[in-house]
Amino acid sequence: MKTIPLVAISFLVAILASAIAIISVQNAAPVSLNFIFFKSIQLPVGVVLAMSISAGLIGGALLQPLWNLSDSQNSRRKFPANPEESDTVQY
């Protein structure tokens, strides 16, 4: 059952890579990014898209353990274990 999400993720990454390739071939003109006072060098659209998506995937992968950690701590505080409603039997 764990293979279905992995296959879905693989298809999503393949479609995303194909979309980047198609867009970068059609838009070969260089662009520069402006953020507040900073201006980047001129790069092709495909490179900018690939870097943006890579940064987002890496950022999401790095933040995932932090989200799981905060969820597990909050769920423990909200729902304390009640020994009377436990599934285990003591002998």
Side-chain angles (χ1 to χ4, degrees), residues 4-61:
I4 293 173
L6 293 176
V7 170
I9 291 171
S10 298
F11 278 126
L12 183 65
V13 170
I15 290 170
L16 197 59
S18 300
I20 289 173
I22 291 169
I23 290 172
S24 65
V25 168
Q26 291 179 354
N27 298 319
V31 296
S32 63
L33 300 176
N34 297 326
F35 181 72
I36 305 176
F37 297 112
F38 303 105
K39 185 175 182 180
S40 72
I41 60 172
Q42 291 194 352
L43 298 169
V45 175
V47 173
V48 174
L49 285 174
M51 288 174 31
S52 300
I53 291 172
S54 298
L57 289 173
I58 290 171

Side-chain angles (χ1 to χ4, degrees), residues 66-82:
L66 296 176
W67 288 326
N68 289 340
L69 182 64
S70 66
D71 288 343
S72 63
Q73 288 177 353
N74 290 337
S75 65
R76 288 182 190 155
R77 291 182 193 147
K78 291 179 183 176
F79 304 107
N82 189 356

